[in-house]
Amino acid sequence: QMYLVESGGGLALPGGSLRLSCAASGRTFGRYTVGWFRQAPGNQRVFVAAIRLSTGSTHYADSVKGRFAISKDSDRKTVYLQMDSLKPEDTAVYYCAVDTNGILSTIGSPNMYEYWGQGTQVTVSS
């Protein structure tokens, strides 16, 4: 079993930055895929970014490319999402999740992720 805990959310000004953390307990991330998703009120949960720990490759939704960066720490127990140049439309609850299957073609599909955190609220507003 794997337990995920997100932190780092909060209120940011447009153009500001936040860094989200996703900590794993019970087991490390190993060589799995760790993804970040977000869900705004009334909307579906959508893909933001992912890192495939088997290869180190990173993947981003077009809406955040060039502004967000996903990374991991050296012991593979924490994955980060650095969010810069934040926009009001980035406001959502952000979730981290783990996909143990590691299939590249489905990296953006929330249905492929087996483990989920409880989420952290990010609000971008002036």
Side-chain angles (χ1 to χ4, degrees), residues 42-107:
N43 292 344
Q44 292 184 333
R45 195 169 296 187
V46 297
F47 172 75
V48 175
I51 182 167
R52 300 180 74 212
L53 296 176
S54 58
T55 63
S57 63
T58 57
H59 308 267
Y60 298 93
D62 288 343
S63 59
V64 306
K65 204 170 290 184
R67 301 188 298 121
F68 290 11
I70 189 170
S71 62
K72 63 170 180 64
D73 68 353
S74 59
D75 64 3
R76 298 188 178 187
K77 290 184 178 178
T78 305
V79 168
Y80 304 98
L81 184 68
Q82 178 67 41
M83 305 187 297
D84 298 322
S85 302
L86 284 163
K87 304 176 181 180
E89 50 263 43
D90 294 320
T91 295
V93 177
Y94 283 70
Y95 299 89
C96 69
V98 169
D99 172 9
T100 63
N101 296 299
I103 301 172
L104 181 57
S105 62
T106 58
I107 200 169

Side-chain angles (χ1 to χ4, degrees), residues 9-18 83 86-88 91 122-126:
L11 176 64
L13 294 171
S17 299
L18 286 172
M83 305 187 297
L86 284 163
K87 304 176 181 180
T91 295
V122 171
T123 303
V124 184
S125 174
S126 55

